[in-house]
Amino acid sequence: MLHPSYTDLMKVVNKDVEEGETKVVNSRYSIVLATSKRARQLIDGDVPMVHAKSGAKPLSIAIEELEEGQLKIMAENAEEAEALQAETEEAAEAALSEAEA
């Protein structure tokens, strides 16, 4: 059994959502995707955002980060907007560098 439970994790993620607003997480699938993505980042060398026990597995660390509120799950469209903004900023910097040269 997973501890904390999926419902506990969903409550943590959705705690700041006002009544009547769309919840950030509506299913276990979103929890699984977010924690597995974070576990892959930890495997690739990212530093844990929580104090990890010696020998803790990356997925366990990711779940603990989510439970403690250190890991944020963003709505898919918000993630796309951030990626687009980053690309736009990079293109603007490149254009500015070319104009100065």
Side-chain angles (χ1 to χ4, degrees), residues 15 22 25 39 42 45 53 55 80 98:
K15 71 180 177 194
T22 303
V25 173
L42 292 167
K53 298 174 188 170
E80 291 173 6
E98 289 178 15

Side-chain angles (χ1 to χ4, degrees), residues 28-97:
R28 295 177 180 186
Y29 181 72
S30 300
I31 299 288
V32 170
L33 283 179
T35 53
S36 65
K37 183 175 181 179
R38 177 63 182 149
R40 283 191 294 274
Q41 292 172 346
L42 292 167
I43 290 168
D44 289 340
D46 278 12
V47 178
M49 295 184 278
V50 295
H51 179 69
K53 298 174 188 170
S54 179
K57 295 181 180 179
L59 184 58
S60 297
I61 296 169
I63 290 169
E64 189 174 340
E65 289 175 345
L66 185 62
E67 181 182 29
E68 292 185 13
Q70 298 295 318
L71 181 61
K72 302 291 181 196
I73 297 178
M74 297 170 47
E76 191 172 310
N77 56 354
E79 198 171 290
E80 291 173 6
E82 279 190 8
L84 182 59
Q85 181 179 358
E87 289 176 15
T88 304
E89 289 172 1
E90 289 173 10
E93 288 175 11
L96 183 60
S97 296

